[in-house]
Amino acid sequence: MSGWSDSFTCPNCGSENTTNSGDYKPIDSVSGNCFDCGFYYFTQTGYATLEELNELREENGDEPLTELPKQEEI
């Protein structure tokens, strides 16, 4: 088993009635929930469209792609 669990001070209501957890397999991820006001956060994964990827590549000085590389669900 990997990961950790803790609590945090809710930035919305200031409650300590919260949970904060993280994991590092297969990627770093974190999530948290406030049990008083419902505030939550989480790591979300996905893939950019070809247009979005090429915009990122251009900003990085890389050549644009003509098609997306293979994208598997992680």
Side-chain angles (χ1 to χ4, degrees):
M1 184 173 143
S2 63
W4 51 269
S5 182
D6 200 356
S7 63
F8 67 101
T9 301
C10 177
N12 181 61
C13 70
S15 174
E16 297 289 330
N17 187 19
T18 61
T19 185
N20 180 31
S21 61
D23 206 344
Y24 51 88
K25 291 181 181 177
I27 61 169
D28 291 344
S29 61
V30 295
S31 64
N33 295 282
C34 176
F35 301 115
D36 287 333
C37 74
F39 172 79
Y40 69 90
Y41 63 91
F42 61 95
T43 302
Q44 182 175 343
T45 63
Y47 287 102
T49 65
L50 180 60
E51 182 179 344
E52 292 166 334
L53 180 55
N54 280 333
E55 287 176 10
L56 292 170
R57 291 176 59 83
E58 181 180 350
E59 291 172 9
N60 197 49
D62 298 322
E63 293 294 319
L65 301 174
T66 57
E67 63 183 50
L68 284 170
K70 185 176 182 179
Q71 297 177 336
E72 297 185 25
E73 188 172 323
I74 296 178

